[in-house]
mmCIF file of all heavy atoms in Angstrom:
data_model
loop_
_atom_site.group_PDB
_atom_site.id
_atom_site.type_symbol
_atom_site.label_atom_id
_atom_site.label_comp_id
_atom_site.label_asym_id
_atom_site.label_seq_id
_atom_site.Cartn_x
_atom_site.Cartn_y
_atom_site.Cartn_z
ATOM 1 N N SER A 1297 97.560 120.378 100.453
ATOM 2 C CA SER A 1297 96.201 119.834 100.542
ATOM 3 C C SER A 1297 95.754 119.639 101.991
ATOM 4 O O SER A 1297 94.620 119.961 102.349
ATOM 5 C CB SER A 1297 96.122 118.511 99.791
ATOM 6 O OG SER A 1297 97.043 117.599 100.332
ATOM 7 N N LEU A 1298 96.636 119.124 102.827
ATOM 8 C CA LEU A 1298 96.246 118.857 104.211
ATOM 9 C C LEU A 1298 95.990 120.159 104.966
ATOM 10 O O LEU A 1298 95.024 120.278 105.729
ATOM 11 C CB LEU A 1298 97.338 118.030 104.897
ATOM 12 C CG LEU A 1298 97.014 117.458 106.268
ATOM 13 C CD1 LEU A 1298 95.753 116.600 106.216
ATOM 14 C CD2 LEU A 1298 98.178 116.600 106.767
ATOM 15 N N VAL A 1301 92.667 121.629 104.028
ATOM 16 C CA VAL A 1301 91.577 120.940 104.715
ATOM 17 C C VAL A 1301 91.403 121.509 106.134
ATOM 18 O O VAL A 1301 90.287 121.732 106.609
ATOM 19 C CB VAL A 1301 91.861 119.421 104.742
ATOM 20 C CG1 VAL A 1301 91.039 118.723 105.803
ATOM 21 C CG2 VAL A 1301 91.566 118.806 103.382
ATOM 22 N N VAL A 1304 89.927 125.014 105.882
ATOM 23 C CA VAL A 1304 88.492 124.944 105.577
ATOM 24 C C VAL A 1304 87.701 124.690 106.857
ATOM 25 O O VAL A 1304 86.663 125.308 107.113
ATOM 26 C CB VAL A 1304 88.230 123.854 104.511
ATOM 27 C CG1 VAL A 1304 86.765 123.444 104.476
ATOM 28 C CG2 VAL A 1304 88.677 124.332 103.138
ATOM 29 N N GLU A 1308 84.905 127.133 108.469
ATOM 30 C CA GLU A 1308 83.542 126.662 108.761
ATOM 31 C C GLU A 1308 83.164 126.971 110.205
ATOM 32 O O GLU A 1308 82.038 127.407 110.493
ATOM 33 C CB GLU A 1308 83.442 125.146 108.513
ATOM 34 C CG GLU A 1308 83.485 124.763 107.040
ATOM 35 C CD GLU A 1308 83.259 123.274 106.794
ATOM 36 O OE1 GLU A 1308 83.618 122.454 107.681
ATOM 37 O OE2 GLU A 1308 82.745 122.910 105.734
ATOM 38 N N THR A 1314 79.033 125.700 105.861
ATOM 39 C CA THR A 1314 79.508 124.402 105.376
ATOM 40 C C THR A 1314 80.077 124.600 103.986
ATOM 41 O O THR A 1314 79.354 124.984 103.066
ATOM 42 C CB THR A 1314 78.352 123.383 105.341
ATOM 43 O OG1 THR A 1314 77.845 123.248 106.675
ATOM 44 C CG2 THR A 1314 78.832 122.026 104.851
ATOM 45 N N ILE A 1315 81.368 124.381 103.859
ATOM 46 C CA ILE A 1315 82.042 124.584 102.572
ATOM 47 C C ILE A 1315 82.002 123.269 101.787
ATOM 48 O O ILE A 1315 82.505 122.252 102.266
ATOM 49 C CB ILE A 1315 83.497 125.052 102.786
ATOM 50 C CG1 ILE A 1315 83.497 126.387 103.560
ATOM 51 C CG2 ILE A 1315 84.237 125.180 101.455
ATOM 52 C CD1 ILE A 1315 84.874 126.924 103.910
ATOM 53 N N ASN A 1317 82.790 120.201 99.168
ATOM 54 C CA ASN A 1317 84.041 119.651 98.649
ATOM 55 C C ASN A 1317 84.273 120.169 97.234
ATOM 56 O O ASN A 1317 83.312 120.530 96.551
ATOM 57 C CB ASN A 1317 83.966 118.125 98.602
ATOM 58 C CG ASN A 1317 83.965 117.520 99.986
ATOM 59 O OD1 ASN A 1317 84.261 118.181 100.969
ATOM 60 N ND2 ASN A 1317 83.616 116.249 100.056
ATOM 61 N N GLU A 1320 81.803 119.607 94.212
ATOM 62 C CA GLU A 1320 80.493 119.192 94.734
ATOM 63 C C GLU A 1320 79.394 120.185 94.362
ATOM 64 O O GLU A 1320 78.237 119.812 94.205
ATOM 65 C CB GLU A 1320 80.597 119.057 96.266
ATOM 66 C CG GLU A 1320 79.498 118.245 96.891
ATOM 67 C CD GLU A 1320 79.679 118.136 98.407
ATOM 68 O OE1 GLU A 1320 80.801 118.333 98.920
ATOM 69 O OE2 GLU A 1320 78.684 117.883 99.073
ATOM 70 N N ARG B 978 76.969 114.595 107.366
ATOM 71 C CA ARG B 978 76.208 114.754 106.128
ATOM 72 C C ARG B 978 76.191 113.442 105.342
ATOM 73 O O ARG B 978 75.357 113.234 104.475
ATOM 74 C CB ARG B 978 76.816 115.879 105.276
ATOM 75 C CG ARG B 978 76.582 117.263 105.908
ATOM 76 C CD ARG B 978 77.040 118.355 104.969
ATOM 77 N NE ARG B 978 78.492 118.372 104.818
ATOM 78 C CZ ARG B 978 79.134 118.803 103.736
ATOM 79 N NH1 ARG B 978 78.459 119.257 102.715
ATOM 80 N NH2 ARG B 978 80.451 118.796 103.687
ATOM 81 N N GLY B 1136 85.628 115.648 107.482
ATOM 82 C CA GLY B 1136 86.533 116.784 107.658
ATOM 83 C C GLY B 1136 87.733 116.700 106.745
ATOM 84 O O GLY B 1136 88.259 117.719 106.301
ATOM 85 N N LEU B 1137 88.178 115.469 106.464
ATOM 86 C CA LEU B 1137 89.317 115.290 105.558
ATOM 87 C C LEU B 1137 88.915 115.434 104.092
ATOM 88 O O LEU B 1137 89.768 115.405 103.203
ATOM 89 C CB LEU B 1137 89.939 113.907 105.754
ATOM 90 C CG LEU B 1137 90.999 113.788 106.826
ATOM 91 C CD1 LEU B 1137 91.416 112.325 106.975
ATOM 92 C CD2 LEU B 1137 92.231 114.635 106.531
ATOM 93 N N ARG B 1138 87.600 115.559 103.854
ATOM 94 C CA ARG B 1138 87.086 115.804 102.502
ATOM 95 C C ARG B 1138 87.358 114.629 101.574
ATOM 96 O O ARG B 1138 87.678 114.824 100.395
ATOM 97 C CB ARG B 1138 87.720 117.081 101.912
ATOM 98 C CG ARG B 1138 87.647 118.265 102.831
ATOM 99 C CD ARG B 1138 86.473 119.112 102.536
ATOM 100 N NE ARG B 1138 86.041 119.830 103.731
ATOM 101 C CZ ARG B 1138 84.956 120.583 103.774
ATOM 102 N NH1 ARG B 1138 84.218 120.750 102.714
ATOM 103 N NH2 ARG B 1138 84.609 121.168 104.886
ATOM 104 N N LEU B 1140 85.223 111.638 101.980
ATOM 105 C CA LEU B 1140 84.105 110.711 102.143
ATOM 106 C C LEU B 1140 83.016 111.024 101.110
ATOM 107 O O LEU B 1140 82.606 112.166 100.967
ATOM 108 C CB LEU B 1140 83.549 110.867 103.558
ATOM 109 C CG LEU B 1140 82.914 109.657 104.229
ATOM 110 C CD1 LEU B 1140 83.840 108.449 104.205
ATOM 111 C CD2 LEU B 1140 82.561 109.991 105.672
ATOM 112 N N LYS B 1142 79.266 111.017 99.572
ATOM 113 C CA LYS B 1142 77.899 111.067 100.111
ATOM 114 C C LYS B 1142 76.934 110.232 99.285
ATOM 115 O O LYS B 1142 75.804 109.997 99.692
ATOM 116 C CB LYS B 1142 77.407 112.516 100.161
ATOM 117 C CG LYS B 1142 78.206 113.352 101.136
ATOM 118 C CD LYS B 1142 77.781 114.801 101.095
ATOM 119 C CE LYS B 1142 78.798 115.662 101.807
ATOM 120 N NZ LYS B 1142 80.108 115.712 101.092
ATOM 121 N N LEU B 1195 101.109 113.263 104.849
ATOM 122 C CA LEU B 1195 100.203 112.448 105.661
ATOM 123 C C LEU B 1195 99.019 111.902 104.867
ATOM 124 O O LEU B 1195 98.486 110.849 105.194
ATOM 125 C CB LEU B 1195 99.657 113.282 106.823
ATOM 126 C CG LEU B 1195 100.345 113.120 108.168
ATOM 127 C CD1 LEU B 1195 99.652 113.996 109.202
ATOM 128 C CD2 LEU B 1195 100.337 111.670 108.633
ATOM 129 N N VAL B 1196 98.558 112.636 103.867
ATOM 130 C CA VAL B 1196 97.359 112.195 103.153
ATOM 131 C C VAL B 1196 97.514 112.098 101.635
ATOM 132 O O VAL B 1196 96.726 111.415 100.983
ATOM 133 C CB VAL B 1196 96.145 113.112 103.467
ATOM 134 C CG1 VAL B 1196 95.771 113.003 104.928
ATOM 135 C CG2 VAL B 1196 96.416 114.557 103.100
ATOM 136 N N GLN B 1197 98.502 112.782 101.081
ATOM 137 C CA GLN B 1197 98.662 112.758 99.620
ATOM 138 C C GLN B 1197 99.457 111.526 99.187
ATOM 139 O O GLN B 1197 100.561 111.301 99.667
ATOM 140 C CB GLN B 1197 99.406 114.005 99.148
ATOM 141 C CG GLN B 1197 98.544 115.240 99.010
ATOM 142 C CD GLN B 1197 97.528 115.129 97.891
ATOM 143 O OE1 GLN B 1197 97.733 114.380 96.936
ATOM 144 N NE2 GLN B 1197 96.426 115.847 98.005
#
Side-chain angles (χ1 to χ4, degrees):
Chain A
S1297 59
L1298 190 56
V1301 161
V1304 162
E1308 289 185 330
T1314 300
I1315 300 177
N1317 290 346
E1320 198 179 339
Chain B
R978 290 187 291 152
L1137 273 175
R1138 310 265 153 185
L1140 210 53
K1142 295 176 194 67
L1195 262 181
V1196 295
Q1197 279 293 335

